[in-house]
Amino acid sequence: MGDLDLKLKRGGIFADSHENIRKGASSLPMAFVLLCVFAFGANGLNTDSIWTDELYAITNMGGFDGPYSPAEVVNSVAENFPDHVPLFFLLGAGWANFVGWTQFALRLLPVFAGVLMIAWTYRLTSDMFDRFAGLAAASLLGTSAYMVLYIHDFRMYSLFLMFSAMHMWLYWRVLERKSKNERLTLVAFALSTVALFYTHFFAGILFAGLGVFHLLFGLRSRRWWQILLGWAIGALLFLPYLPVLLDGIQRASEKADVTTRAASAPELLRTLSLLLSNGNWLTGAMLVGVLAFVVARRRPLRLIKILTIPFTMVTFIIVANELIGIIPLTRMRYFIVIWIPVVLILGACLGNMPRRRLVSGIVLIVWLVSGYQYYRSEEIMNHVGSMVFTRLYPPLPEYVWHLKGKLRSEDYLLGFSKSSHVNKVLTLGKSVADYYTQEQLGIDGAFIRRGAYGEWLEGEIRQWMGNQPYLLFAFDPQDLPNSYQRVREVIESNYLQCDVVVEQPQLFVQRYVNSRLACDREYRPIAYENGVTLVDRFAQYAPEERKVYVLTGWEVESEEALYQYNLSLQFITPDWQRLGAQIDRHLYDNILTWFSAELSTEDLPPGDYRLMVILYDRESGKKVGGVDQAGGGRDNIFPIVSFTVET
């Protein structure tokens, strides 16, 4: 047998490498790898836009209307995201409550988990083989282009893979009786099983691979039944949530847009091979050559046995896809769970090559160059779902950076985007545009599709501009869309040009206000005792048109209030006689902040009048009291404008 087999024989199924570690070189190479992984994962945290799947996570944690309690997080995931499990969302909500909801702060959590994942992969491979193999495996995993995407991503994948590496390490420790405190190791093994189940349903794929290995090759260990018990405890503790997950997976598998795009087994295997080759077939060929050489020349029987783990996992996924049909090529993340056992095997092979330092150095250089090119290519984005749309979004983090501290509470941001996907409202009623405008800037906003023209363009202008009285028009002066001139014409036909808010080489933002208002206008809010706020009120009498133009803006704390209260605009004489001309509307008729109206004065006899605003309960008709925060005083009927109808 080869050197590898002899090493493994001395220590049972897998050799204990503690002696090698003590005699080895310093830990500086591994520290360097961890620093590099952190740098790769943290690169662009504050510049790459949040994408839709990250937004799902944020909304289920209470990023818009939270913070959510742990029970609220679990309920939100079960109701809105049932094909996922709640542990990452619980940890993410706690993390966000501590560090805030900015994209940089949020994404640090998966980056830290990714660094720990690399460290645990190093420990796993080192304990199974030797320190050199551990360093090689950690280097391959930490510089995999596809892996770096998910270390960078505010989702559960790096946390899940961290638990996977931890669980596999604990498995070997229990199986080989390498722990000094065996009881503590068994408890940790059972807890890691629970953590995997509650982090992602991919846990079933990992347990399938380990389970087959355990049944085939673990029988000689006296810890065989203890390992099964640990898995059983984890499964039992997951049973209460299992019906929710199964229902979610069933619903997800029935979606037509998923099943019709499901890839065939050959397509999936080809794409998987490319991803595992860091986007370069030559790199993949080198790694296959290394594996073939070690297997043929060293004949490490036990390494071949370990190959059953990723082989079983891939087979499990392929068969499941053939039966259910839920994996399109855009969702290759279903295979990401196999990365750790694969790099473990490759690391062991590199560690057993002749002149291993030279060979490993060459392989890692080719691997790094391939990964860098692949990470920057468009091709890798074909396998990451709707993350691809972020390259078509405007530079939203840059908008936040330049607009922070320069806004008024009722400003509305209007810009351009290469894709309308940025405005797409998801399950919980929020879009990526909402995350940056509402959550990060405290205002509302939307983006007109750059390619829109004709009726499509006019429709988007009407849809996104609406009745907003305070407008921020944003664009890149060096990259104006074809629709820029038309959009500007519409804005300037209805709005007054005010101050320039941002003037940068690639971002220009100017404030506009409704043409009936003024740039320096002070808001006239009313705070009602039921939590509803009239943030501003304005009216203008146009005698030549015999109309009063009215603009009111509302904020509502709870959705229930939208259905409980109505707004009334009424003409009142100086002696408080109410006339027939009025407008009543439900608050839920337009959940957007602003409501504009026109009231005719055709039937009003000459005289003095006031336009009043009233908020009242729909069922009882009782007026709601409030405080006029502009003029002072408490009442249940407030003036908007006074005017005179001439003879």
Side-chain angles (χ1 to χ4, degrees):
M1 289 189 180
D3 295 340
L4 176 60
D5 233 21
L6 291 174
K7 284 183 185 178
L8 298 180
K9 275 187 172 181
R10 297 188 189 110
I13 294 180
F14 295 103
D16 184 6
S17 64
H18 289 289
E19 186 65 22
N20 289 334
I21 292 176
R22 284 195 293 269
K23 294 181 179 180
S26 69
S27 299
L28 287 178
M30 188 56 201
F32 178 73
V33 170
L34 292 177
L35 285 173
C36 288
V37 171
F38 181 82
F40 295 152
N43 179 43
L45 284 188
N46 209 31
T47 56
D48 297 339
S49 291
I50 288 287
W51 66 295
T52 49
D53 281 17
E54 290 180 296
L55 188 66
Y56 275 123
I58 293 169
T59 51
N60 279 284
M61 294 173 189
F64 286 86
D65 54 356
Y68 285 173
S69 67
E72 289 174 323
V73 171
V74 173
N75 289 336
S76 180
V77 174
E79 181 178 350
N80 304 301
F81 222 16
D83 54 334
H84 286 71
V85 283
L87 183 57
F88 171 76
F89 300 91
L90 290 167
L91 295 176
W95 173 262
N97 290 336
F98 178 69
V99 301
W101 294 93
T102 66
Q103 67 179 66
F104 179 82
L106 292 175
R107 284 173 170 167
L108 278 177
L109 177 62
V111 171
F112 289 148
V115 172
L116 289 174
M117 169 191 70
I118 302 301
W120 233 296
T121 300
Y122 168 76
R123 181 64 187 273
L124 166 67
T125 312
S126 296
D127 279 7
M128 288 172 57
F129 300 103
D130 61 32
R131 184 170 184 162
F132 187 92
L135 182 62
S139 300
L140 290 171
L141 184 62
T143 54
S144 165
Y146 200 63
M147 184 60 62
V148 169
L149 283 174
Y150 287 97
I151 292 176
H152 184 86
D153 188 26
F154 184 61
R155 301 195 71 207
M156 66 292 296
Y157 296 105
S158 62
L159 182 71
F160 173 75
L161 291 173
M162 182 197 79
F163 285 139
S164 297
M166 180 193 305
H167 183 78
M168 291 181 69
W169 177 73
L170 289 166
Y171 173 82
W172 307 128
R173 300 288 288 179
V174 174
L175 190 67
E176 291 296 311
R177 303 187 67 179
K178 298 299 182 183
S179 177
K180 294 180 180 179
N181 191 331
E182 294 182 356
R183 183 173 299 177
L184 181 61
T185 303
L186 286 168
V187 171
F189 177 74
L191 290 176
S192 68
T193 304
V194 178
L196 281 167
F197 273 123
Y198 276 101
T199 304
H200 206 289
F201 66 82
F202 287 0
I205 302 170
L206 177 63
F207 293 138
L210 287 177
V212 169
F213 178 89
H214 192 62
L215 289 172
L216 293 177
F217 309 118
L219 286 172
R220 287 181 297 173
S221 172
R222 285 179 290 178
R223 299 291 182 176
W224 194 82
W225 286 106
Q226 291 178 325
I227 289 172
L228 288 184
L229 178 62
W231 284 336
I233 291 173
L236 286 172
L237 291 175
F238 183 67
L239 279 180
Y241 202 84
L242 184 60
V244 176
L245 177 62
L246 292 178
D247 179 64
I249 293 175
Q250 175 66 27
R251 282 192 275 168
S253 67
E254 293 173 351
K255 293 180 180 178
D257 64 329
V258 173
T259 55
T260 57
R261 294 184 295 117
S264 65
E267 290 174 322
L268 291 175
L269 291 173
R270 180 185 179 280
T271 305
L272 175 63
S273 300
L274 182 64
L275 294 174
L276 288 172
S277 302
N278 232 7
N280 189 304
W281 293 112
L282 174 61
T283 307
M286 289 181 63
L287 293 172
V288 171
V290 168
L291 175 63
F293 177 87
V294 171
V295 170
R297 298 293 297 272
R298 305 292 191 185
R299 298 181 181 178
L301 180 59
R302 294 178 178 86
L303 180 61
I304 296 173
K305 291 178 181 180
I306 300 171
L307 284 168
T308 61
I309 298 174
F311 178 81
T312 301
M313 295 165 74
V314 172
T315 303
F316 183 93
I317 299 172
I318 294 293
V319 171
N321 185 62
E322 289 297 311
L323 294 175
I324 305 175
I326 60 172
I327 310 179
L329 294 180
T330 56
R331 291 188 178 182
M332 291 303 296
R333 60 181 179 270
Y334 281 71
F335 289 91
I336 203 170
V337 65
I338 75 166
W339 253 247
I340 290 175
V342 166
V343 298
L344 183 153
I345 292 168
L346 294 176
C349 290
L350 288 173
N352 282 271
M353 289 289 290
R355 305 184 68 179
R356 65 181 188 175
R357 294 183 184 277
L358 176 62
V359 173
S360 298
I362 294 172
V363 170
L364 286 174
I365 289 172
V366 175
W367 175 267
L368 281 169
V369 173
S370 301
Y372 177 77
Q373 293 175 339
Y374 196 46
Y375 186 83
R376 295 177 61 85
S377 72
E378 294 293 331
E379 185 178 0
I380 195 172
M381 301 304 289
N382 295 329
H383 308 300
V384 289
S386 57
M387 188 189 297
V388 67
F389 288 108
T390 60
R391 297 192 175 185
L392 304 176
Y393 292 172
L396 297 171
E398 186 177 342
Y399 282 33
V400 173
W401 174 263
H402 289 296
L403 288 171
K404 276 282 190 181
K406 300 178 182 179
L407 302 175
R408 301 171 185 172
S409 61
E410 299 310 318
D411 283 336
Y412 183 86
L413 181 66
L414 185 69
F416 295 98
S417 174
K418 293 180 180 178
S419 170
S420 59
H421 194 270
V422 71
N423 300 313
K424 183 179 179 181
V425 175
L426 304 180
T427 304
L428 294 175
K430 298 297 181 181
S431 67
V432 171
D434 292 334
Y435 170 76
Y436 287 99
T437 57
Q438 294 179 14
E439 172 58 30
Q440 301 298 301
L441 292 174
I443 61 174
D444 286 322
F447 297 86
I448 294 174
R449 185 164 46 90
R450 289 173 61 100
Y453 63 93
E455 292 184 2
W456 289 99
L457 175 60
E458 300 298 324
E460 291 213 4
I461 293 174
R462 289 192 301 272
Q463 178 182 2
W464 301 125
M465 188 181 300
N467 297 319
Q468 302 296 331
Y470 304 101
L471 197 66
L472 294 175
F473 185 37
F475 54 88
D476 181 352
Q478 300 180 18
D479 186 23
L480 296 176
N482 294 332
S483 56
Y484 165 78
Q485 194 58 44
R486 176 55 186 158
V487 174
R488 184 152 199 157
E489 288 173 1
V490 173
I491 291 174
E492 295 185 349
S493 67
N494 295 279
Y495 293 82
L496 297 177
Q497 192 176 98
C498 297
D499 55 306
V500 174
V501 182
V502 175
E503 189 171 9
Q504 297 290 328
Q506 293 182 306
L507 180 61
F508 186 88
V509 183
Q510 185 153 27
R511 179 175 281 111
Y512 289 81
V513 301
N514 186 289
S515 58
R516 293 188 173 90
L517 304 177
C519 291
D520 57 353
R521 169 180 170 76
E522 295 293 333
Y523 298 153
R524 300 173 60 204
I526 298 172
Y528 288 93
E529 59 191 23
N530 62 349
V532 176
T533 301
L534 191 156
V535 295
D536 197 9
R537 59 196 194 274
F538 168 81
Q540 181 184 60
Y541 174 50
E544 67 283 355
E545 300 176 33
R546 295 192 172 185
K547 290 181 180 179
V548 175
Y549 295 94
V550 189
L551 190 68
T552 54
W554 296 85
E555 289 181 351
V556 181
E557 288 185 354
S558 66
E559 188 174 350
E560 290 76 14
L562 293 171
Y563 297 88
Q564 185 176 355
Y565 298 100
N566 282 3
L567 158 72
S568 181
L569 301 173
Q570 302 180 3
F571 290 136
I572 302 293
T573 64
D575 58 354
W576 288 89
Q577 296 297 311
R578 183 175 68 83
L579 303 182
Q582 71 178 66
I583 288 181
D584 285 74
R585 65 180 290 268
H586 307 310
L587 289 183
Y588 66 76
D589 282 346
N590 187 355
I591 300 178
L592 295 176
T593 303
W594 295 97
F595 170 62
S596 61
E598 298 178 5
L599 278 77
S600 173
T601 62
E602 289 277 0
D603 299 329
L604 295 181
D608 296 326
Y609 299 94
R610 285 183 294 173
L611 178 66
M612 313 297 287
V613 60
I614 300 169
L615 186 69
Y616 64 94
D617 187 285
R618 290 181 59 194
E619 297 296 329
S620 65
K622 182 179 179 180
K623 299 182 181 69
V624 181
V627 177
D628 187 341
Q629 296 181 325
R634 176 180 293 274
D635 209 333
N636 56 18
I637 179 169
F638 296 92
I640 298 180
V641 69
S642 299
F643 63 96
T644 300
V645 176
E646 302 291 347
T647 303

